[in-house]
């Protein structure tokens, strides 16, 4: 799935919350590290054009930003600052770096 698809051709910087049946499962999905805590699916819903989703991915992104010397507002907690587009600009770099995608770029 592409970033354009996930973000509605880059029109949305956060996941539109229904909640749909799939979104309701976010609270209990072990693959996203929500650990079954009610409400974590919504708190850690997809944000930015890359749709950074899940508690563990948010934690990894925060740690990566800190290691890179970036100071960013919190992405969850419903803060408007945490949902602005400038916050998500490093997310593609985070994915590229942490998934070691440079090795596939010829």
């Amino acid at each position: 799935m592409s970033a354009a698809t996930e973000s509605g051709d880059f029109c949305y910087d956060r996941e539109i919350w229904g909640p749909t049946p799939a979104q309701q499962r976010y609270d209990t999905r072990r693959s996203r590290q929500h650990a079954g805590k009610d409400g974590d699916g919504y708190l850690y819903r997809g944000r930015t054009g890359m749709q950074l989703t899940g508690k563990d991915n948010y934690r990894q992104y925060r740690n990566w930003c800190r290691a890179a010397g970036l100071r960013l507002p919190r992405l969850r907690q419903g803060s408007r600052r945490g949902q602005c587009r400038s916050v998500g600009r490093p997310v593609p770099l985070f994915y590229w770096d942490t998934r070691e995608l440079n090795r596939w770029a010829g």
Side-chain angles (χ1 to χ4, degrees), residues 49-105:
M50 294 291 292
Q51 292 295 290
L52 181 69
T53 305
K55 188 174 186 176
D56 193 52
N57 279 331
Y58 275 61
R59 181 189 54 78
Q60 290 177 32
Y61 178 62
R62 180 200 66 214
N63 292 341
W64 180 85
C65 287
R66 285 179 180 167
L70 302 172
R71 291 176 21 148
L72 299 173
R74 296 175 76 166
L75 283 171
R76 64 182 204 97
Q77 303 299 327
S79 164
R80 286 187 163 259
R81 287 181 48 215
Q83 296 170 355
C84 68
R85 294 179 196 273
S86 63
V87 171
R89 288 187 183 145
V91 171
L93 300 174
F94 159 72
Y95 274 108
W96 189 272
D97 185 45
T98 59
R99 275 63 174 181
E100 299 178 358
L101 299 179
N102 211 38
R103 65 184 165 151
W104 300 105

Side-chain angles (χ1 to χ4, degrees), residues 23-39:
Q23 289 169 327
Q24 289 174 334
R25 290 191 299 272
Y26 283 2
D27 285 337
T28 57
R29 280 182 70 174
R30 296 285 180 214
S31 64
R32 297 243 169 104
Q33 300 289 322
H34 292 307
K37 183 178 175 187
D38 287 339

